[in-house]
Amino acid sequence: MKEKLERIKEEAVRQIQESDVPEKLNEVRVRFLGKKGELTAVLKGMKDVAPEERPKVGQLVNETRAAIEELLEDTRKKMEAAIREERLKQEVIDVTLPAKKNMVGHSHPNTIALEEVERIFIGMGYEVVEGPEIEYDLYNFEKLNIPADHPAKDEQDTFYINKEIVLRTQTSPVQARIMEQGKLPIRVISPGRVFRSDEVDATHSPSFHQIEGLVVDKNISFSDLKGTLEVFAKELFGPETKTKFRPHHFPFTEPSAEVDVTCFKCGGKGCRFCKGSGWIEILGCGMVHPHVLEMCGIDPEVYTGFAFGVGLERIALLKYEIDDMRLLYENDIRFLKQF
């Protein structure tokens, strides 16, 4: 038995010394020390050894195992050190080179402006709702008091998919859909992308974004509209901002108005930014037309409401003093990283 253990030890030492990679060392460990290894087989054969010899044989097996394990461990450490040394020689790092900068993105100017507008109106108790960008002519025009022969329905101004379906020209169809549900009172804003057949220039695009608001309840008056938009303007452009309402016409509101705010650049004194007038137009608004309420199933004798709409790009252009709308869509990193 002693001679057999010596042979096992000599063979293990030889194979360990011939190993040149950690994988081969592991194979040697399994062959000699594993569950089906040669030393384990010797221990299983202890039943054939005379009882008085078993302590000596057991001690010899343990000594052989310890010697093999120690040699394996020493060889492994030396092998790993050699591999690490070789890797360091090959992977030379020039610490004088500038570090690589992580390009961290951030929100687009439109998104920043939208989130600020949503924050303002949510703070006033409004709900944010959305609707389809591909809309029925019925909701985009008819239910908003825009009849079949209205100029706004001209194919030169609107993208038609067929006679009944269009790419929405405003987010007002969302308001019609909300009113149809009949869950009153209503206090919502509806942001989203809209489409019009416009030529691309510094202030126009065939695809842009709008934010429209709607309030329907009992005893809603024009003074409620003025108060709401005044709070909105002060929150968005600063507490010193003043508002001015000018008569206008929209088919779905009566009376209607355009809203100007004092130029936040010059404080209303007149400058290049406001073209010397001291005022900047920001949105359109008005009281919801009684016929629109009727078409959506709401009794205009009981309920009244107001609506308003503002271009998201216009807010971004004004707030960040951008003079060309195309910059918002050209994805020029030099422009976008300023925000």
Side-chain angles (χ1 to χ4, degrees):
M1 182 65 72
K2 184 176 180 181
E3 291 78 7
K4 183 177 181 180
L5 290 173
E6 285 292 334
R7 287 196 305 272
I8 291 174
K9 181 178 178 182
E10 289 175 3
E11 180 62 19
V13 170
R14 184 186 66 79
Q15 292 191 21
I16 291 171
Q17 291 174 344
E18 291 178 355
S19 299
D20 54 357
V21 292
E23 289 76 10
K24 289 186 178 180
L25 279 181
N26 190 54
E27 290 175 3
V28 174
R29 180 186 297 276
V30 172
R31 178 178 175 181
F32 292 96
L33 306 180
K35 290 183 178 180
K36 297 181 180 180
E38 295 189 22
L39 277 180
T40 306
V42 172
L43 287 173
K44 288 180 179 179
M46 290 282 285
K47 63 180 182 295
D48 299 327
V49 178
E52 63 273 12
E53 295 292 325
R54 286 178 185 174
K56 292 182 180 181
V57 173
Q59 184 179 355
L60 288 172
V61 171
N62 290 334
E63 289 175 354
T64 302
R65 174 183 290 275
I68 294 174
E69 287 179 342
E70 184 179 356
L71 184 58
L72 278 169
E73 185 64 19
D74 290 344
T75 305
R76 182 187 64 80
K77 289 181 179 179
K78 291 177 182 178
M79 191 178 293
E80 289 178 350
I83 292 172
R84 185 164 56 249
E85 184 69 24
E86 184 63 27
R87 185 179 296 170
L88 289 173
K89 289 179 181 179
Q90 295 177 359
E91 299 177 358
V92 177
I93 300 174
D94 187 349
V95 295
T96 64
L97 288 173
K100 292 182 179 179
K101 293 184 179 179
N102 289 328
M103 299 296 288
V104 180
H106 56 76
S107 297
H108 188 276
N110 270 1
T111 304
I112 298 172
L114 175 60
E115 289 175 349
E116 185 166 2
V117 172
E118 288 182 345
R119 176 188 60 79
I120 293 170
F121 281 104
I122 289 173
M124 289 192 283
Y126 284 66
E127 180 184 358
V128 180
V129 296
E130 295 182 350
E133 294 178 359
I134 301 175
E135 186 58 274
Y136 288 107
D137 178 281
L138 175 67
Y139 288 99
N140 198 75
F141 294 117
E142 300 292 337
K143 283 187 176 290
L144 298 177
N145 207 30
I146 301 175
D149 57 352
H150 196 279
K153 300 183 70 173
D154 193 293
E155 291 184 0
Q156 302 302 315
D157 295 326
T158 306
F159 293 107
Y160 273 87
I161 294 176
N162 56 42
K163 290 184 178 180
E164 297 181 355
I165 300 175
V166 301
L167 298 183
R168 67 180 181 185
T169 59
Q170 54 207 354
T171 53
S172 300
V174 181
Q175 300 176 7
R177 290 177 175 274
I178 293 296
M179 285 190 286
E180 267 193 347
Q181 295 175 8
K183 297 178 181 178
L184 298 166
I186 298 169
R187 190 176 285 107
V188 298
I189 60 169
S190 52
R193 184 167 56 170
V194 299
F195 308 86
R196 294 182 189 175
S197 185
D198 288 335
E199 295 289 336
V200 176
D201 59 29
T203 57
H204 295 85
S205 171
S207 175
F208 57 100
H209 299 78
Q210 277 192 340
I211 307 169
E212 301 203 16
L214 173 69
V215 171
V216 178
D217 201 350
K218 295 178 180 178
N219 303 317
I220 296 295
S221 67
F222 202 91
S223 61
D224 297 312
L225 170 60
K226 292 184 69 175
T228 298
L229 296 182
E230 185 172 345
V231 170
F232 166 64
K234 289 181 183 294
E235 287 287 330
L236 189 63
F237 298 112
E240 303 300 321
T241 304
K242 297 179 181 178
T243 56
K244 178 173 69 175
F245 289 71
R246 292 179 287 104
H248 196 72
H249 169 72
F250 298 111
F252 35 83
T253 54
E254 179 61 38
S256 306
E258 292 276 12
V259 180
D260 300 338
V261 296
T262 48
C263 178
F264 47 85
K265 188 75 172 175
C266 64
K269 297 177 182 177
C271 65
R272 181 190 64 81
F273 197 68
C274 60
K275 299 179 181 178
S277 68
W279 296 91
I280 299 174
E281 178 188 325
I282 60 165
L283 56 83
C285 65
M287 300 299 294
V288 179
H289 198 292
H291 189 44
V292 172
L293 292 174
E294 284 180 338
M295 287 189 291
C296 294
I298 297 175
D299 187 352
E301 297 295 327
V302 179
Y303 291 95
T304 54
F306 64 76
F308 55 88
V310 57
L312 177 60
E313 283 81 0
R314 181 155 184 77
I315 290 178
L317 294 177
L318 291 173
K319 192 166 183 64
Y320 301 114
E321 300 182 26
I322 303 168
D323 56 7
D324 194 327
M325 182 176 173
R326 289 169 291 193
L327 290 169
L328 294 173
Y329 301 112
E330 290 176 349
N331 295 324
D332 189 329
I333 191 67
R334 296 170 299 175
F335 168 76
L336 294 176
K337 69 181 181 181
Q338 298 177 54
F339 301 93

